[in-house]
């Protein structure tokens, strides 16, 4: 709704000024001229009731009220210009007057609802920026790019999440997807991110960070269930990645049942360890937490992480989006497409094109790779951190 309102606003503006009033004005003039230039058997002056109705849809309250008054005055002037036997008469005058009044009231309701929508959108944007906080382009020795597309375009926020946390032990990255939708999923994502930002900074061992996330998920479910909300079965898939500062081209990966990360480079695409662990919140059903895999990642490779909104996007016949094939083909044609921004843009556009713009689930695409310029390195112990 908000997107349509803003898009309409752009279409009806020239040089920053609104020209919405031109549309009802042209309609008013057109009806008056047509009535003057048609035979007496074809009186259309009463159609002028459409003018305030159009104004109510695209103009402000005062503009709509002005067109209501002008429409009544124009009706009286045009109708009086004919001989008595050809006048539309008092009933149509009442129609135009009442129509203008109702149009003005409709404009009041429309403007009020648009303001409420703007307020709700501001709240949603604030929530989104709290959950998915803005990150510098180069942060903690990493170059990254990310895009989040909510299945609910009005809400603009859902259960997908990602973040980078610098630490004295190397940069940590978390990408995940909370089961379900709505505010419950957003609350769960915020809880997990809060724990990640603290544990990811303080804990030297990535396995300990993973354990803290599992504990937070369990505590959050217990709390929401005690409040009488049915969150007892909520879980989250996630990938936790550590970039150690040991001078090697290796990373550490803990996969909580999430889509496997992809290493994308000039030599093609390879799949990193898959979701061999259960999602966050289900550790008690397994033999423990997922293992920490240490895998190589070349300096010229970009790590691509997506949520299931990408891999489960379908086209008209129901075919899933071929992520690995599309990325491999794109990078093979131009190795520069492995850069995080280009890679994210390529996957985003490919998913939207494949699904025809219809997203059934929240969709996140996140790409990250090491940078060698030292911008945004992790702080040392004892220093203030952001």
């Amino acid at each position: 709704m908000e997107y349509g309102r803003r898009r309409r606003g752009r279409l009806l503006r020239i040089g920053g000024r609104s020209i919405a009033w031109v549309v009802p004005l042209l309609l008013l003039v057109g009806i008056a001229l047509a009535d003057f230039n048609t035979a007496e058997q074809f009186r259309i002056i009463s159609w002028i009731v459409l003018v305030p109705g159009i104004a109510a849809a695209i103009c402000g309250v005062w503009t709509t009220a002005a067109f209501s008054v002008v429409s009544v005055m124009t009706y009286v002037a045009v109708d009086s210009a004919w001989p008595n036997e050809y006048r539309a008469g008092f009933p149509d005058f009442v129609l135009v007057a009442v129509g203008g009044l109702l149009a003005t009231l409709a404009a009041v309701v429309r403007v009020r609802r648009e303001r409420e929508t703007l307020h709700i959108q501001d709240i949603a944007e604030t929530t989104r920026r709290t959950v998915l906080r803005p990150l510098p382009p180069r942060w903690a020795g990493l170059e990254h790019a990310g895009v989040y597309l909510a299945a609910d375009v009005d809400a603009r926020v859902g259960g997908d999440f990602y973040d980078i946390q610098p630490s004295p032990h190397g940069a940590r990255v978390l990408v995940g997807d909370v089961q379900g939708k709505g505010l419950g999923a957003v609350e769960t994502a915020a809880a997990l991110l809060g724990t990640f930002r603290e544990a990811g900074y303080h804990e030297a061992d990535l396995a300990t960070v993973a354990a803290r996330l599992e504990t937070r998920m369990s505590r959050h479910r217990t709390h929401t269930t005690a409040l009488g909300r049915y969150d007892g079965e909520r879980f989250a898939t996630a990938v936790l990645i550590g970039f150690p500062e040991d001078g090697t081209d290796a990373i550490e990966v803990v996969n909580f049942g999430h889509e496997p990360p992809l290493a994308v480079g000039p030599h093609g695409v390879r799949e990193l360890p898959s979701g061999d662990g259960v999602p966050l919140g289900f550790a008690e059903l397994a033999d423990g937490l997922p293992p920490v895999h240490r895998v190589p990642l070349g300096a010229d490779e970009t790590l691509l992480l997506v949520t299931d909104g990408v891999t489960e996007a379908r086209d008209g016949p129901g075919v899933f989006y071929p992520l690995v094939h599309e990325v491999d083909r794109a990078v093979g044609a131009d190795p520069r497409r492995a850069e995080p921004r280009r890679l994210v843009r390529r996957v985003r556009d490919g998913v939207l094109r494949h699904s025809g713009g219809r997203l059934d689930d929240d969709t996140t695409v996140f790409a990250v790779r090491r940078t060698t310029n030292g911008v945004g390195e992790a702080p040392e112990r004892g220093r203030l951190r952001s």
Side-chain angles (χ1 to χ4, degrees):
M1 176 179 176
E2 172 64 12
Y3 171 77
R5 195 187 69 83
R6 289 181 177 176
R7 184 171 182 268
R8 183 182 68 227
R10 289 196 300 269
L11 291 174
L12 297 177
R13 285 184 178 273
I14 294 180
R17 294 179 177 273
S18 174
I19 59 168
W21 54 271
V22 173
V23 177
L25 178 61
L26 291 177
L27 180 61
L28 185 147
V29 173
I31 291 174
L33 292 177
D35 191 77
F36 266 120
N37 292 277
T38 54
E40 61 274 11
Q41 291 83 6
F42 188 71
R43 298 301 311 278
I44 64 170
I45 189 57
S46 58
W47 292 11
I48 209 168
V49 72
L50 298 175
V51 172
I54 297 297
I58 60 177
C59 299
V61 175
W62 290 108
T63 303
T64 302
F67 272 111
S68 299
V69 174
V70 172
S71 295
V72 171
M73 295 172 60
T74 304
Y75 173 86
V76 173
V78 174
D79 198 42
S80 299
W82 289 89
N84 292 336
E85 62 269 22
Y86 297 134
R87 288 187 177 182
F90 183 73
D92 285 358
F93 169 82
V94 174
L95 171 66
V96 174
V98 173
L101 177 61
L102 294 177
T104 303
L105 294 176
V108 171
V109 173
R110 194 207 86 224
V111 170
R112 182 178 299 172
R113 288 187 175 179
E114 285 183 351
R115 288 174 179 171
E116 292 175 353
T117 301
L118 279 175
H119 181 63
I120 293 172
Q121 292 292 344
D122 287 342
I123 294 174
E125 181 65 18
T126 301
T127 303
R128 187 189 69 83
R129 292 174 66 85
T130 300
V131 176
L132 301 179
R133 62 177 180 176
L135 296 171
R138 288 177 172 81
W139 183 236
L142 302 176
E143 178 186 0
H144 69 90
V147 62
Y148 171 74
L149 303 174
D152 185 348
V153 295
D154 289 333
R156 301 171 64 185
V157 65
D160 286 6
F161 57 90
Y162 60 83
D163 200 7
I164 298 175
Q165 178 59 52
S167 84
H169 320 290
R172 272 73 187 268
V173 175
L174 179 67
V175 176
D177 179 9
V178 177
Q179 173 264 339
K181 301 181 184 297
L183 291 179
V186 177
E187 288 179 348
T188 303
L192 291 173
L193 284 173
T195 298
F196 166 71
R197 289 162 186 165
E198 289 302 311
Y201 178 84
H202 290 288
E203 303 296 344
D205 188 2
L206 196 68
T208 305
V209 180
R212 292 277 298 275
L213 289 171
E214 174 63 30
T215 301
R216 187 69 181 96
M217 185 70 200
S218 177
R219 291 175 56 204
H220 180 74
R221 292 196 313 187
T222 300
H223 177 257
T224 53
T225 301
L227 291 175
R229 289 159 44 188
Y230 184 71
D231 281 357
E233 300 299 323
R234 193 179 297 279
F235 62 88
T237 63
V239 178
L240 176 63
I241 300 171
F243 289 80
E245 293 188 323
D246 54 9
T248 64
D249 290 336
I251 60 173
E252 296 176 331
V253 180
V254 180
N255 195 322
F256 294 93
H258 197 75
E259 301 289 334
L262 300 177
V264 182
H267 303 294
V269 181
R270 59 188 179 90
E271 191 173 282
L272 271 60
S274 60
D276 49 4
V278 295
L280 286 166
F282 288 160
E284 60 185 21
L285 303 178
D287 295 330
L289 295 173
V292 178
H293 296 277
R294 191 173 178 89
V295 296
L297 183 70
D300 58 350
E301 288 185 309
T302 297
L303 200 60
L304 176 64
L305 303 106
V306 302
T307 58
D308 56 9
V310 173
T311 55
E312 295 180 3
R314 300 172 182 249
D315 59 8
V319 178
F320 291 112
Y321 176 66
L323 174 64
V324 176
H325 172 75
E326 288 297 319
V327 171
D328 187 60
R329 185 168 62 89
V331 175
D334 184 0
R336 293 177 300 175
R337 288 176 177 163
E339 298 174 1
R341 289 188 178 277
R342 294 190 179 189
L343 185 58
V344 167
R345 187 183 307 117
R346 179 77 181 189
V347 175
R348 177 201 63 189
D349 294 346
V351 170
L352 291 175
R353 183 169 51 250
H354 182 81
S355 63
R358 299 181 301 273
L359 300 177
D360 296 326
D361 196 3
D362 296 336
T363 300
T364 294
V365 185
F366 189 76
V368 60
R369 70 177 178 183
R370 291 187 178 93
T371 181
T372 58
N373 59 6
V375 177
E377 294 296 336
E380 297 178 357
R381 287 191 182 274
R383 294 177 57 189
L384 294 174
R385 66 186 187 277
S386 59

